[in-house]
Amino acid sequence: STQSTWGTHFWAFEQQGVVPDIVTVGKPFGNGMPLAAVVTTSEIAASFCNGMEYFNTFGGNPVCAAAGLAVLEIIENEKLQQHAKEVGEYLKSKLWELSKKHTLIGDVRGSGLFVGVEFVRDRDTKEPAKAETSAICTRMKEEHNILTSIDGLDNVFVFKPPMCFNKDNVDQLCTALD
């Protein structure tokens, strides 16, 4: 996906130093408009030229294509990837600060604004704190109107805020989590 929230790259695979044969891009690419793309090598694309025709209701829609170009221009012009990197680093640092006070926080990881907080009962054994994570998630929603998702072994908060998320929002989030 087009995840500018990674902070330094459009796609997570770029951080891993691999080059996939085919990349598909969907929803975020059009910022709500029905737009997707397939990116591949000329050789692979040519292998699909076998006489079969392809039809797509939205294929070639100029309005959606313009929306996709606008999304890319805004990401570049407003330096949203740099913003995601800076705010994400700030978020991770504030979460690590909280971990000094709350031993339930066993790990903080992520890139850009895509950040996970792993809750454990014991930092040595890494025993997942499933019930505690669920309770914290419920409290965040009911007391602070903050929605998070839980992943991993049902013990990892996943933060994927919108690109407008800023350092003040990080402070609010961490105050609520505290």
Side-chain angles (χ1 to χ4, degrees), residues 31-51:
N31 196 29
M33 298 292 286
L35 180 66
V38 176
V39 181
T40 189
T41 65
S42 297
E43 181 182 351
I44 291 172
S47 71
F48 288 94
C49 295
N50 57 11

Side-chain angles (χ1 to χ4, degrees), residues 9-166:
H9 301 86
F10 276 97
W11 297 281
F13 70 79
E14 292 177 288
Q15 294 179 324
Q16 306 303 315
V18 297
V19 179
D21 293 328
I22 299 174
V23 175
T24 59
V25 182
K27 295 175 280 187
F29 187 47
N31 196 29
M33 298 292 286
L35 180 66
V38 176
V39 181
T40 189
T41 65
S42 297
E43 181 182 351
I44 291 172
S47 71
F48 288 94
C49 295
N50 57 11
M52 291 179 35
E53 293 189 25
Y54 174 76
F55 172 78
N56 186 306
T57 304
F58 297 109
N61 181 327
V63 173
C64 295
L69 289 173
V71 167
L72 294 173
E73 287 173 10
I74 288 170
I75 289 170
E76 182 178 355
N77 293 342
E78 295 184 13
K79 298 178 178 26
L80 293 181
Q81 287 179 300
Q82 182 64 29
H83 171 79
K85 180 181 178 186
E86 291 170 5
V87 175
E89 288 172 357
Y90 182 71
L91 172 58
K92 287 190 294 187
S93 73
K94 296 297 276 187
L95 292 168
W96 277 118
E97 282 180 32
L98 279 179
S99 76
K100 294 174 186 170
K101 181 178 177 183
H102 300 286
T103 58
L104 205 58
I105 298 175
D107 192 21
V108 176
R109 56 185 174 266
S111 180
L113 288 176
F114 194 23
V115 175
V117 179
E118 183 175 6
F119 294 100
V120 297
R121 291 191 175 133
D122 182 294
R123 287 186 177 169
D124 293 327
T125 66
K126 299 285 188 187
E127 178 187 352
K130 294 179 183 186
E132 296 90 333
T133 304
S134 180
I136 295 167
C137 186
T138 299
R139 183 176 60 81
M140 296 289 281
K141 180 182 77 170
E142 291 178 356
E143 295 179 19
H144 304 285
N145 297 315
I146 296 174
L147 299 176
T148 61
S149 61
I150 299 174
D151 205 344
L153 300 172
D154 293 332
N155 70 320
V156 178
F157 267 15
V158 178
F159 297 108
K160 294 183 287 185
M163 294 298 290
C164 58
F165 197 74
N166 60 39

Side-chain angles (χ1 to χ4, degrees), residues 87 90-91 94 165-174:
V87 175
Y90 182 71
L91 172 58
K94 296 297 276 187
F165 197 74
N166 60 39
K167 291 180 180 179
D168 288 339
N169 300 133
V170 169
D171 293 339
Q172 292 170 338
L173 172 70
C174 290

